[in-house]
Amino acid sequence: MSLGFTNPKFSQSLSFRRKKAWEFSFPNVKHAGISRCIRPKAVLTIEAAVVLPFFVCFIVFILYFFRILQVQAAVSQALQYAGRRTAVEYCGSVEKNSEADPFSKEQESVWKSDGVGLVKAEVFFLRQLKKQKCPTQYISYGTAGISLLQSDFSGNYVELKAVYRMKFPIALFGDIQYRMVQESKCRKWTGYQTGQDQEENDTWLYYTAHGTVYHATRSCTHLDLSIHGIPYSQLGSSRNKSGGKYHKCEKCTKGALGQSMVYITDYGDRWHSSLSCSGLKRSIYMIRKTKATDKRMCKKCGS
């Protein structure tokens, strides 16, 4: 009959024998008898070694994105500054004779052939870029990698175009670069002559903020409200010049029924209780005909 009693010395002897047998069978394996509860630490170490580089790359990419924004902001401000300063340089070339070309052809040819405009623009640009403390280490070849050769100084404007490449700070996936192009446009300080910015057949068109058509003339009847005041009792028999009836304005006629005087327009289809109603106002805008593409022409004045 067993009482469940085990001799401690006998158990210790068996454990010692198993350990010796394991070391004899696998002499090159160290610490094979370590408890299993310690093994997950090694697994976590391996996982950390694999995941940590990807996490670091992700953080670097986020920081690099903000650096790109910083470089673009600095280059944009430097371009605008250089464009304005270069445009001012043309001021000394204005002829005193008002009938002559405000910017002499000889002086303009000098600026084009000798590259005077480009040289001055680069000087102003680099000076302002340094003042902005632009992180040029993220630009390939630094400030020397920013090219303004595609800038244009002809005509009445100074158009600066900066072309450069952004490089990734860590060459983990090779030499990756991104081409960046930024532009600025400033008008030369050469005065103004009537029609000098107007190309042939490039006339002005007129439109309103919520209108659906362009008007060829400012005096179009659709732009001229021609506001009239009439008694409220005559609304039922009144018609606009297109033959339509007048309906109440949704903006100013709430609670205004039965009043003595209302306001109508010749070509509108609403009557108003107040002259300050926004429906009686017209904010007219101008646009060149060559740039008018999203609306159709007015049938009354555009035909």
Side-chain angles (χ1 to χ4, degrees):
M1 180 176 179
S2 176
L3 297 176
F5 177 77
T6 304
N7 189 348
K9 295 183 178 180
F10 180 75
S11 300
Q12 185 177 2
S13 176
L14 290 177
S15 176
F16 179 76
R17 291 177 182 178
R18 285 197 299 267
K19 183 177 181 181
K20 288 293 184 179
W22 178 270
E23 292 179 354
F24 177 79
S25 302
F26 304 97
N28 297 326
V29 179
K30 303 295 183 182
H31 308 292
I34 297 177
S35 176
R36 293 184 179 180
C37 63
I38 305 178
R39 296 178 185 176
K41 295 182 179 180
V43 177
L44 293 177
T45 304
I46 296 175
E47 292 179 353
V50 174
V51 175
L52 185 60
F54 290 97
F55 176 75
V56 172
C57 290
F58 175 76
I59 297 299
V60 170
F61 179 79
I62 296 298
L63 297 177
Y64 177 65
F65 175 75
F66 288 103
R67 285 296 189 181
I68 292 178
L69 296 180
Q70 184 179 358
V71 171
Q72 287 182 330
V75 172
S76 177
Q77 293 181 10
L79 281 177
Q80 294 177 11
Y81 173 81
R84 292 193 298 266
R85 288 296 303 271
T86 307
V88 174
E89 294 295 326
Y90 286 85
C91 181
S93 302
V94 178
E95 302 246 348
K96 294 182 179 180
N97 187 2
S98 60
E99 297 180 357
D101 186 5
F103 185 60
S104 63
K105 294 182 179 180
E106 296 180 358
Q107 185 70 16
E108 185 176 5
S109 63
V110 170
W111 279 65
K112 289 182 180 179
S113 60
D114 297 343
V116 178
L118 180 61
V119 172
K120 291 191 176 185
E122 286 184 346
V123 171
F124 294 137
F125 174 77
L126 294 177
R127 183 187 303 171
Q128 185 66 16
L129 198 65
K130 183 178 180 180
K131 185 177 180 181
Q132 294 291 331
K133 297 181 180 180
C134 176
T136 55
Q137 65 269 21
Y138 296 95
I139 303 176
S140 296
Y141 306 106
T143 55
I146 305 177
S147 174
L148 299 180
L149 295 177
Q150 298 184 21
S151 302
D152 185 14
F153 300 90
S154 61
N156 296 313
Y157 292 90
V158 174
E159 300 181 17
L160 300 181
K161 179 182 290 187
V163 182
Y164 59 97
R165 290 183 176 274
M166 296 286 295
K167 61 181 180 180
F168 201 72
I170 300 178
L172 183 62
F173 303 102
D175 187 13
I176 301 178
Q177 297 184 1
Y178 302 91
R179 185 174 184 267
M180 310 292 289
V181 179
Q182 293 181 248
E183 301 180 20
S184 70
K185 184 176 181 180
C186 298
R187 194 183 185 283
K188 298 175 183 177
W189 286 36
T190 56
Y192 179 77
Q193 285 186 341
T194 304
Q196 68 178 17
D197 289 334
Q198 182 176 348
E199 300 178 358
E200 186 177 358
N201 297 327
D202 190 13
T203 58
W204 287 105
L205 297 180
Y206 305 89
Y207 68 99
T208 58
H210 302 287
T212 59
V213 297
Y214 290 114
H215 302 272
T217 174
R218 176 66 176 78
S219 59
C220 179
T221 54
H222 290 290
L223 295 177
D224 185 12
L225 292 178
S226 301
I227 303 174
H228 306 284
I230 62 172
Y232 177 79
S233 58
Q234 297 181 7
L235 272 177
S237 58
S238 299
R239 299 291 185 273
N240 58 28
K241 291 189 176 181
S242 298
K245 294 183 178 181
Y246 291 99
H247 305 278
K248 66 178 180 179
C249 174
E250 296 82 359
K251 300 178 180 179
C252 65
T253 57
K254 294 181 179 179
L257 297 177
Q259 66 182 43
S260 59
M261 182 68 67
V262 295
Y263 304 93
I264 60 175
T265 59
D266 289 341
Y267 290 91
D269 59 355
R270 294 290 187 272
W271 62 268
H272 307 267
S273 62
S274 174
L275 280 173
S276 61
C277 177
S278 58
L280 291 176
K281 297 180 180 179
R282 289 288 185 272
S283 297
I284 302 175
Y285 303 93
M286 299 172 62
I287 189 174
R288 289 294 185 185
K289 188 175 182 179
T290 55
K291 298 181 179 179
T293 57
D294 57 340
K295 296 180 176 65
R296 57 185 176 85
M297 288 300 298
C298 174
K299 295 181 179 179
K300 185 178 292 293
C301 65
S303 57

